[in-house]
Amino acid sequence: MNRTLVAVFVLGLSLVSPGWSPAAGLIDFESAPGGGLPSDDAPLSVPYPMPGGGSVQLFFDVNGNNTYDSGIDAEPIFEASGPDAINGFANTVTGVPDTANGGLASLLGSFFLRQVTPGTIPPPLVIDYASPVAITDLSGEIWDIDGQEQATERWKVEILDASNAFLTGQLSPIGNTGALDGLPWTFSFTGLPSGVDKIRITFVGTKISGLGLAFNNFTPIQAVPEPSGIVLAGGGVLALLAAFGARRRGAVTQADDSFQFRAT
Ligand SMILES: [Ca+2]
Ligand SMILES: [Ca+2]
Ligand SMILES: [Ca+2]
Ligand SMILES: [Ca+2]
């Protein structure tokens, strides 16, 4: 084993040390917070547990104070993919509501979250962390951002601290074509400043009907691979580092594709 390999080996050992970060804990809404399958049109009424401790709560902030108020604010609704009595979004390509285009049915999965009354402008969706874990990276999907030429669908994603001060944000594309019909837009943040406490997603388009928030695949914290529990050596560590590098490059590319904006 030459010096480079020894150095890589030592790095590999440090990666499987007790200081290893928790796994990403993707919330794809395929299961309820307590486990088990969601039911179509059921409210999401309790927070999801966070990897590393604490929880994260999602709610529509009806009274606009960035705080969950029981009996006032609205709970997100689990929506089953495919057509049923109440649906989250239309798909003009397939003609079948709540279906994915582009071969992305498995990405959408069997469930996503919708607002209480699809078709109308919803209150802001607030995702409120209550966790000791420092939130440096996060991502999520908003599906079916579309509209007509003159009437747009657009979403603003803001990262807030515990005082509800703006830290950073991203704007979705302007949905005034069918480009995102039945497809996701991914917001993705990396290297966030300290103090992340909430995500707030607000409608900023010009539509007044025929719109809706369809939310899916929320990654609340940095994606880090699980520790293997065994000592990695030689080529295994190199492969791990190569994969890690690819993941980081992919994340940066994705973030760079997003429209950044400043607070007003
Ligand atoms: Ca509230
Ligand atoms: Ca339904
Ligand atoms: Ca449905
Ligand atoms: Ca899903």
Side-chain angles (χ1 to χ4, degrees):
M1 190 180 283
N2 64 29
R3 268 185 208 179
T4 303
L5 275 182
V6 168
V8 168
F9 183 77
V10 170
L11 179 57
L13 286 177
S14 72
L15 285 175
V16 295
S17 72
W20 186 277
S21 301
L26 170 70
I27 300 174
D28 56 11
F29 307 109
E30 302 301 303
S31 60
L37 271 182
S39 299
D40 182 41
D41 303 332
L44 169 60
S45 53
V46 296
Y48 274 93
M50 284 274 292
S55 62
V56 60
Q57 182 171 21
L58 297 88
F59 61 95
F60 287 97
D61 188 20
V62 171
N63 62 358
N65 64 355
N66 301 303
T67 302
Y68 178 68
D69 299 290
S70 179
I72 297 173
D73 290 329
E75 289 152 342
I77 305 295
F78 284 104
E79 180 56 50
S81 297
D84 47 72
I86 305 171
N87 293 298
F89 61 89
N91 183 326
T92 60
V93 176
T94 63
V96 183
D98 297 347
T99 56
N101 291 326
L104 297 180
S106 63
L107 187 68
L108 182 60
S110 298
F111 289 95
F112 60 92
L113 290 186
R114 65 164 167 84
Q115 66 205 66
V116 175
T117 310
T120 62
I121 297 174
L125 176 68
V126 172
I127 302 172
D128 191 359
Y129 291 95
S131 172
V133 181
I135 309 301
T136 58
D137 299 5
L138 61 88
S139 64
E141 296 169 358
I142 299 173
W143 281 69
D144 194 61
I145 302 173
D146 55 11
Q148 298 82 40
E149 196 171 330
Q150 300 293 331
T152 62
E153 180 169 349
R154 192 179 213 187
W155 301 90
K156 178 171 67 172
V157 180
E158 299 167 290
I159 309 300
L160 309 179
D161 70 12
S163 303
N164 303 316
F166 175 88
L167 296 176
T168 185
Q170 294 176 359
L171 279 169
S172 82
I174 299 173
N176 61 348
T177 67
L180 286 172
D181 187 18
L183 293 171
W185 170 68
T186 301
F187 62 83
S188 178
F189 296 87
T190 58
L192 287 166
S194 63
V196 171
D197 186 62
K198 297 178 191 76
I199 306 165
R200 184 173 61 199
I201 302 176
T202 308
F203 181 75
V204 292
T206 62
K207 274 184 157 184
I208 55 172
S209 64
L211 65 105
L213 185 60
F215 186 65
N216 192 32
N217 289 333
F218 172 49
T219 302
I221 62 172
Q222 184 174 16
V224 177
E226 298 260 15
S228 68
I230 58 169
V231 174
L232 300 172
V237 173
L238 289 172
L240 173 66
L241 290 175
F244 200 66
R247 176 191 294 268
R248 288 180 55 80
R249 285 191 299 277
V252 168
T253 300
Q254 197 167 38
D256 288 349
D257 286 345
S258 301
F259 190 100
Q260 304 278 341
F261 73 100
R262 300 205 176 275
T264 54

